[in-house]
């Protein structure tokens, strides 16, 4: 009896923590997919509206939407991809890092697939806020048509406010995200339940044969409609990317207990409403609710879409941080807005780019109906890329044969490829927007990676091994540099070679400190590293030390704070008697080098955009010495 009661008490904190994680995941992970009912069914109905809506078309359409949710979100993401984690972290770049670490070599196909997936996600992060907020506010037209003129300015005002508060952090308001979104899903389920009885024939949509009938009999129009059907699974990529924030179990529980049932009921209710009243096809979501509830529902929908927008913006920040640490982008200013949650970050450059992109989209498309046509390509494209990478995951990580991996993923790939083809038909209607965004972002990441690799290879040809250099400077002669007190820390990315900044210091100042540290900061292909892995100290000579500091790609590279751990390992130094030497490269474009002329200029522009290394590595500003050099690229 006692042990039983004790067990219950001991489990209570864990159960409470799990419940909080489940509620939190509903707000952040499922905020995006939870706004799809606002526009997905409405957009899918439009191509059929011209020649009248038929019962078999509506049932087949709802069946296809429900089974798309089941196959792609439930089976692919919730049950499979959440297990394809990199030490608990998910997302395209995290999966790419895991595969590159496992294969141990550079694989161009894998690399470009990861970049395409990441680029499409950034495009998604621009379109989602614009589309979801406009969809919610368009419900005001049903309250009174006079509100119609206010949808656009209100959408812009909400976006201005949302992006303005990013620098303050979302920790203070994020505690409300989960409960508000829980209410939103419950309201969606209620809306569906009160209308399923309008025409019980809609329950036939639960039979997957109706989805197959729709695909095989709807003809050309049905193929076009597939693009809109895929809007039901927007947010699935964010579900995978946010794995590290909540863990697999809470995300899975939230999906099966609340999110999936609520979405299914809502789509069934919308279908039954349109079966009973075809005129409701203009806006079936809002017309499910009684007139007295319309304004509160619009307000709740707007809050839900703001939360969904916040979720993808946060996801874009996390993706940018991963890209920087993995060497796909130049160093960017990253600010941590929470002392307890490392996932709460703010990236000013990304925030500014997203804000400009969202406002341009709102002003260009002016309605959710127009913007919805542009949305599907980024979502389907990212999913196809993830499936291709999942194939390599099964081969490399789970050690499955080509045949087994193909049998498992081929059906998913075929379904997603068909959806992608349907969305590509919308290129001329605005679908070019996410494609153009993805191309630009991928080009930037590829250029930075290629340029950095080229410069590293070029520098290696002129490097002097550090052991050779130490032997030269420590040999007593008339030309020996003058010894000065204190510690000098020279940052370098190639610790076996003499840092260029050390060579320049000797050349121009003719001095050498009593204690000299060759410091290299590494980023591992995993999210976090333990304290035991953080620092490695190697004695090179009486006056020279080599220190290697390792961070995970989800960690803040705070060098000053980490050097404090060196004291425990025997490296004694005083911060006010330590100088940090950084090399500043002034890039000069030259013909006939390793990069095309246009890519040289682009790389140089990105290098100018990068944050100062002293700020990125959190070095004390008054202890940093920079020495410049001109480098031909």
């Amino acid at each position: 009896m006692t042990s039983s009661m004790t067990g219950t008490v001991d489990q209570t904190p864990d159960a409470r923590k799990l419940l909080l994680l489940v509620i939190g995941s509903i707000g952040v992970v499922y905020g995006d997919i939870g706004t799809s009912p606002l526009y997905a069914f409405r957009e899918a109905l439009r191509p059929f509206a011209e020649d009248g809506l038929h019962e078999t078309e509506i049932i087949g359409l709802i069946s296809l939407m429900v089974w798309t949710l089941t196959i792609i979100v439930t089976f692919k993401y919730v049950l499979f991809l959440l297990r394809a984690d990199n030490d608990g972290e998910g997302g395209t770049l995290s999966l790419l890092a895991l595969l590159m670490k496992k294969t141990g070599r550079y694989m161009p196909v894998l690399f470009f697939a990861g970049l395409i997936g990441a680029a499409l996600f950034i495009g998604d992060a621009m379109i989602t806020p614009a589309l979801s907020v406009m969809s919610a506010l368009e419900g005001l037209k049903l309250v009174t048509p006079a509100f119609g003129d206010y949808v656009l300015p209100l959408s812009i005002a909400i976006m201005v406010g949302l992006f303005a508060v990013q620098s303050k952090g979302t920790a203070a308001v994020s505690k409300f995200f989960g409960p508000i979104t829980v209410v939103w899903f419950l309201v969606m389920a209620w809306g569906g339940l009160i209308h399923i009885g309008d025409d019980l024939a809609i329950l036939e949509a639960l039979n997957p044969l109706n989805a197959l009938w729709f695909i095989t009999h709807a003809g050309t129009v049905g193929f076009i409609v597939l693009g809109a059907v895929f809007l039901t699974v927007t947010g699935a990529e964010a579900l995978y990317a946010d794995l590290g924030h909540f863990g697999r179990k809470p995300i899975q529980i939230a999906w099966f207990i609340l999110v999936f049932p609520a979405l299914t009921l809502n789509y069934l209710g919308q279908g039954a409403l349109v079966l009973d009243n075809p005129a409701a096809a203009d806006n079936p979501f809002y017309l499910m609710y009684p007139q007295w509830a319309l304004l509160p529902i619009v307000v709740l929908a707007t809050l839900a879409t703001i939360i969904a927008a916040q979720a993808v913006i946060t996801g874009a920040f996390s993706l940018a941080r991963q890209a920087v640490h993995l060497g796909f982008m130049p160093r960017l200013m990253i600010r941590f807005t929470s002392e307890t949650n490392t996932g709460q970050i703010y990236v000013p450059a990304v925030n500014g780019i997203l804000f400009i992109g969202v406002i341009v989209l709102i002003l260009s498309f002016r309605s959710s109906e127009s913007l919805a046509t542009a949305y599907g390509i980024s979502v389907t494209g990212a999913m196809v890329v993830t499936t291709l990478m999942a194939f390599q995951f099964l081969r490399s990580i789970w050690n499955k044969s080509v045949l087994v991996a193909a049998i498992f993923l081929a059906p998913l790939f075929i379904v997603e490829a068909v959806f992608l083809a349907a969305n590509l038909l919308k290129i001329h209607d605005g679908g070019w927007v996410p494609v153009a965004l993805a191309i630009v972002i991928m080009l930037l990441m590829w250029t930075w990676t290629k340029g950095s690799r080229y410069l590293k290879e070029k520098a290696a040809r002129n490097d002097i091994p550090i052991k050779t250099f130490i032997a030269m400077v420590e040999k007593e002669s008339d030309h020996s540099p003058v010894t000065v007190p204190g510690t000098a820390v020279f940052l370098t990315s190639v610790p076996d070679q003499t840092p260029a900044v050390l060579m320049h210091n000797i050349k121009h100042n003719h001095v050498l400190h009593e204690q000299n540290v060759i410091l290299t900061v590494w980023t591992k292909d995993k999210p976090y590293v333990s304290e035991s892995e953080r620092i490695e100290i190697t004695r090179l000579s009486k006056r020279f030390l080599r220190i290697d500091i390792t961070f995970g790609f989800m960690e803040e590279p705070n060098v000053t704070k980490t050097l404090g751990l060196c004291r425990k390992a025997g490296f004694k130094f005083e911060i006010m008697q330590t100088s940090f030497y950084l090399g500043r490269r002034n890039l000069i474009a030259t013909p006939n080098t390793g990069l095309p002329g246009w890519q040289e200029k682009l790389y140089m522009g990105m290098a100018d955009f990068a944050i100062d290394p002293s700020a990125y590595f959190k070095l004390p500003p008054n202890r940093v010495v920079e020495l410049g050099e001109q480098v031909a690229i």
Side-chain angles (χ1 to χ4, degrees), residues 240-390:
Y240 182 37
D242 285 324
L243 171 61
H245 292 290
F246 299 96
R248 182 172 68 243
K249 189 174 180 181
I251 294 174
Q252 290 176 330
I253 291 173
W255 175 254
F256 288 111
I257 295 298
L258 177 62
V259 179
F260 188 35
L263 291 172
T264 302
L265 288 171
N266 191 269
Y267 284 124
L268 289 172
Q270 289 190 50
L273 174 65
V274 175
L275 281 175
D276 182 58
N277 178 20
D282 287 340
N283 204 326
F285 180 84
Y286 281 117
L287 291 175
M288 284 195 299
Y289 298 96
Q291 188 66 31
W292 61 265
L294 205 50
L295 187 57
I297 296 295
V298 171
V299 172
L300 181 60
T302 304
L303 290 174
T305 54
I306 291 172
I307 292 169
Q310 177 62 58
V312 293
I313 292 169
T314 303
F317 290 164
S318 296
L319 188 75
R321 176 169 65 172
Q322 291 181 30
V324 168
H325 288 339
L326 293 172
F328 300 154
M329 291 174 64
R331 297 187 186 105
L332 302 174
M333 171 65 76
I334 299 174
R335 298 177 186 167
F336 287 76
T337 58
S338 171
E339 295 182 358
T340 56
N341 186 354
T342 57
Q344 294 286 342
I345 59 174
Y346 170 61
V347 186
V350 175
N351 193 62
I353 292 169
L354 289 180
F355 172 69
I356 293 171
V358 168
I359 297 300
V360 168
L361 287 172
I362 291 175
L363 293 175
S364 300
F365 289 90
R366 306 185 72 83
S367 72
S368 65
E369 177 186 347
S370 300
L371 192 53
T373 61
Y375 196 24
I377 293 178
S378 62
V379 177
T380 50
M383 288 186 175
V384 168
V385 167
T386 306
T387 299
L388 291 173
M389 295 178 71

